[in-house]
Amino acid sequence: MNRITGYLMVLSTLFLGGCDKFLNVEVPDNLVHDEYWQNREQVLASRNGMYAALHNNINIFQVWGDIRSSLYTPGPGESFTSDYRQFMVHDIYPTNGLVRWGTVYTGITWINSFIKNAPAALQRDQTFKESELQMMMGEAYALRALSYFYLVRAFKEVPIIEEPYESDAQKFNTAASSEEEVLNFIEQDLERALATTATDFENVNDRYGRITKNAVRAIWADVKLWRNQYQACLDLCAQLEGYRNRMVEPKDWFTLFNPGNSSESIFEYQYMQTGFSSPVYGWFGHFQAASTGAKYMANPTNIGINGLELYPPTDLLNWSADTVRLKDFSTFRQSPVSYSGGSGFEVYKMVGQTPYVTSYRPITGRNMNYIFYRYREVLFMEAEALAMLNRYQEAEERINLIRTKCDIPELSPGAMGGGEEFMRYLLMEREFELGFEGKEWFVATRVARRQGMEGVLLEKSSENNPLGIQYQVVRARLLNPESWFLPYHETELENNKSLVQKDYYKNK
């Protein structure tokens, strides 16, 4: 964990150059309490800071939640380092810089400071209303819950920190709490958040870029599914059914990504013309990106095998069954790109301006939002929960609703089978709709932890490994479920003497 001096340095770097009002923030801390937490405007700036802190973690969230999925293959970009390679070959060491969690806890510290200190401004500024404060407090609790949800899915056991760093004299030697304790803490925060967050906002950037009650419900449904509490997940998803009438038609599918903030959106990190630059284009853009090239490409082996299985009869470059996602220049640019070290498809949905033709985002339009939740993911969560309750017909209805909105023929009853077979098909369906959006490794892990379903993860990660590692080698690395979670970085162990490395990683 960072001491207060490091915290201030990180925050000053994080917010340098943020020009947009949404990102115009100052540093709240007890070291400057004589000047801070005095009025409504300072509280508003601090609220914006909690959101801005997400930006500093988006790359690491993408790495933790997605790139171990077999959808990915390394791109030619210089930013694809050996640390990223370890993730893709499932051989991760405690020295890997991508398992450092300092920036996530820095964001949590910002939130903790807001929760503790923002209420003081009520007594100091008569223009600041209790109702407005409570709404912002709900946003803070939800953002803290979201941060811990990423941590617990990546590491399983993590320290729970509720107090902000307020002076150099503070010491934080905190042992990791159990997964159950962390999830309970997350749910407590979400319960608080749901009670006070706004139902909606008039401003479009606030509507999709700030926490609303529906964003809380989406996060909470995800947590319930992680905990295998299927009916509780369904109950939360049912409260989001209003989005069904707002799903975009097949011809408008690409608008989910450009311009974004579609009618199906639930929560997106807002990248605007001023302020921070979105990292998404740099991750996936090859032909029109900077000279360093893309960090990630799509694994053509995985896409070809799974596409042919899901949508037969087809051929790789001309999927006749899917008129949206699988046409050239929709999700992918389906001409393999060859480069030193491999080949892959460009992930066009992240970098394109219009579908089905070569039209990349211009330099002034590359600030693609980062999508945390959209409604089609909620439908997939429902399908998964229903299947686990042996309600397969209802589960297939959710899949068919998504297919219909992509002009894909509906599944016939029972086509996805049951048990592990259903989950294998579900994960493939998810990948074609939600692939590269940050969570497919988390989802595969969630499914594989259920009794009798570990084969889902072993098969997906071993058979189509993008770096050509032998199936037996990758499978051996993944046989122990503890390998599905990350090690604590060696620096975290040095700074926190109460943190003990996991047994699986002690000899690495």
Side-chain angles (χ1 to χ4, degrees):
M1 313 291 180
N2 294 334
R3 299 273 301 281
I4 186 64
T5 51
Y7 166 53
L8 291 171
M9 289 176 63
V10 169
L11 288 176
S12 63
T13 302
L14 178 62
F15 301 120
L16 185 64
C19 304
D20 193 278
K21 185 177 180 182
F22 188 75
L23 303 178
N24 186 14
V25 297
E26 300 177 56
V27 178
D29 190 87
N30 276 353
L31 296 179
V32 290
H33 262 195
D34 288 343
E35 301 174 6
Y36 216 84
W37 306 115
Q38 300 296 309
N39 56 53
R40 176 180 178 274
E41 290 304 312
Q42 290 175 332
V43 173
L44 287 173
S46 302
R47 180 209 64 195
N48 293 345
M50 293 190 296
Y51 286 96
L54 284 177
H55 163 79
N56 211 34
N57 293 314
I58 281 174
N59 181 68
I60 208 74
F61 288 165
Q62 187 78 11
V63 170
W64 292 351
D66 218 37
I67 74 168
R68 282 180 281 180
S69 138
S70 57
L71 268 179
Y72 283 75
T73 195
E78 297 172 4
S79 59
F80 187 87
T81 63
S82 59
D83 282 349
Y84 291 89
R85 187 181 190 279
Q86 285 183 18
F87 272 75
M88 286 195 183
V89 300
H90 303 279
D91 190 24
I92 304 170
Y93 289 77
T95 55
N96 188 309
L98 295 170
V99 303
R100 299 188 70 163
W101 60 30
T103 57
V104 182
Y105 275 102
T106 296
I108 290 171
T109 288
W110 183 285
I111 296 168
N112 289 341
S113 184
F114 184 94
I115 290 171
K116 180 176 182 179
N117 297 305
L122 275 180
Q123 283 73 45
R124 297 166 179 161
D125 184 349
Q126 298 304 309
T127 69
F128 193 19
K129 303 301 182 185
E130 173 74 25
S131 58
E132 188 176 20
L133 171 66
Q134 290 306 315
M135 180 181 66
M136 290 190 284
M137 292 289 284
E139 293 173 74
Y141 284 121
L143 290 169
R144 186 168 71 177
L146 182 63
S147 296
Y148 274 112
F149 192 36
Y150 273 96
L151 284 165
V152 78
R153 287 179 293 179
F155 295 91
K156 195 165 73 166
E157 301 93 5
V158 297
I160 297 174
I161 306 295
E162 295 184 71
E163 290 295 318
Y165 299 111
E166 294 184 328
S167 78
D168 279 334
Q170 282 181 270
K171 303 292 183 182
F172 284 94
N173 288 313
T174 307
S177 295
S178 69
E179 180 184 18
E180 187 77 6
E181 290 171 323
V182 179
L183 290 168
N184 287 341
F185 180 75
I186 289 169
E187 292 209 53
Q188 289 171 9
D189 272 359
L190 291 172
E191 185 175 15
R192 292 167 175 157
L194 189 59
T196 61
T197 46
T199 300
D200 199 1
F201 294 100
E202 290 186 11
N203 178 280
V204 67
N205 292 324
D206 287 346
R207 179 178 302 144
Y208 301 113
R210 285 175 61 186
I211 294 290
T212 61
K213 290 188 186 299
N214 282 341
V216 175
R217 291 172 180 129
I219 299 167
W220 206 347
D222 211 358
V223 173
K224 290 296 189 183
L225 197 52
W226 184 266
R227 303 190 84 166
N228 298 330
Q229 296 175 4
Y230 307 120
Q231 189 56 55
C233 171
L234 292 171
D235 291 343
L236 286 159
C237 290
Q239 297 176 57
L240 297 166
E241 286 184 355
Y243 284 90
R244 289 197 189 188
N245 295 327
R246 295 158 53 181
M247 293 178 71
V248 301
E249 295 303 315
K251 62 182 178 61
D252 298 319
W253 179 83
F254 203 78
T255 65
L256 296 170
F257 312 101
N258 188 28
N261 286 341
S262 76
S263 56
E264 294 187 34
S265 175
I266 297 175
F267 181 47
E268 302 183 15
Y269 186 86
Q270 303 292 299
Y271 283 107
M272 292 170 272
Q273 291 303 314
T274 55
F276 300 130
S277 296
S278 170
V280 177
Y281 198 97
W283 294 343
F284 296 108
H286 177 58
F287 290 97
Q288 298 293 316
S291 59
T292 53
K295 180 182 292 184
Y296 308 121
M297 305 290 277
N299 180 357
T301 302
N302 175 286
I303 293 161
I305 292 173
N306 292 348
L308 290 169
E309 187 168 0
L310 282 179
Y311 313 120
T314 65
D315 66 78
L316 189 59
L317 298 180
N318 247 329
W319 267 285
S320 60
D322 188 330
T323 63
V324 177
R325 297 178 307 205
L326 299 179
K327 278 190 173 178
D328 203 10
F329 295 105
S330 54
T331 297
F332 313 110
R333 183 182 188 272
Q334 293 175 4
S335 299
V337 179
S338 296
Y339 42 87
S340 175
S343 66
F345 291 160
E346 186 178 47
V347 185
Y348 183 79
K349 75 178 185 180
M350 300 300 194
V351 297
Q353 184 173 218
T354 56
Y356 317 136
V357 295
T358 310
S359 180
Y360 291 91
R361 289 171 176 256
I363 291 176
T364 57
R366 293 180 182 173
N367 265 10
M368 177 182 169
N369 290 345
Y370 188 82
I371 301 172
F372 280 97
Y373 287 96
R374 57 188 178 94
Y375 183 60
R376 296 187 197 209
E377 183 177 4
V378 173
L379 289 171
F380 277 114
M381 286 194 279
E382 282 191 291
E384 185 180 333
L386 287 164
M388 292 306 299
L389 295 172
N390 295 317
R391 294 160 60 181
Y392 290 107
Q393 181 178 346
E394 294 171 80
E396 288 176 346
E397 287 172 0
R398 280 18 177 224
I399 303 298
N400 281 334
L401 178 58
I402 297 167
R403 281 180 161 236
T404 299
K405 292 298 182 179
C406 288
D407 272 351
I408 309 173
E410 292 187 7
L411 296 162
S412 57
M416 295 177 68
E420 186 177 3
E421 181 185 13
F422 182 95
M423 289 301 162
R424 188 172 72 85
Y425 276 103
L426 176 72
L427 292 180
M428 287 193 291
E429 291 275 358
R430 271 191 63 108
E431 284 182 348
F432 280 107
E433 175 64 42
L434 299 168
F436 308 100
E437 294 179 41
K439 298 177 191 165
E440 296 315 295
W441 175 260
F442 283 159
V443 175
T445 300
R446 177 176 73 208
V447 171
R449 295 178 77 192
R450 297 170 189 149
Q451 187 173 0
M453 293 194 178
E454 61 277 358
V456 171
L457 183 142
L458 293 173
E459 175 188 329
K460 287 181 63 60
S461 301
S462 303
E463 290 186 349
N464 302 324
N465 186 269
L467 289 170
I469 306 298
Q470 288 187 344
Y471 166 79
Q472 294 88 343
V473 173
V474 177
R475 182 180 174 84
R477 291 172 181 170
L478 293 172
L479 280 175
N480 187 334
E482 290 304 306
S483 71
W484 306 346
F485 297 93
L486 300 177
Y488 303 131
H489 192 270
E490 59 180 8
T491 302
E492 312 300 349
L493 296 168
E494 292 170 4
N495 292 343
N496 182 357
K497 299 305 181 183
S498 297
L499 194 63
V500 179
Q501 186 61 273
K502 302 170 185 181
D503 290 341
Y504 178 82
Y505 292 102
K506 281 182 178 178
N507 296 320
K508 294 196 79 169

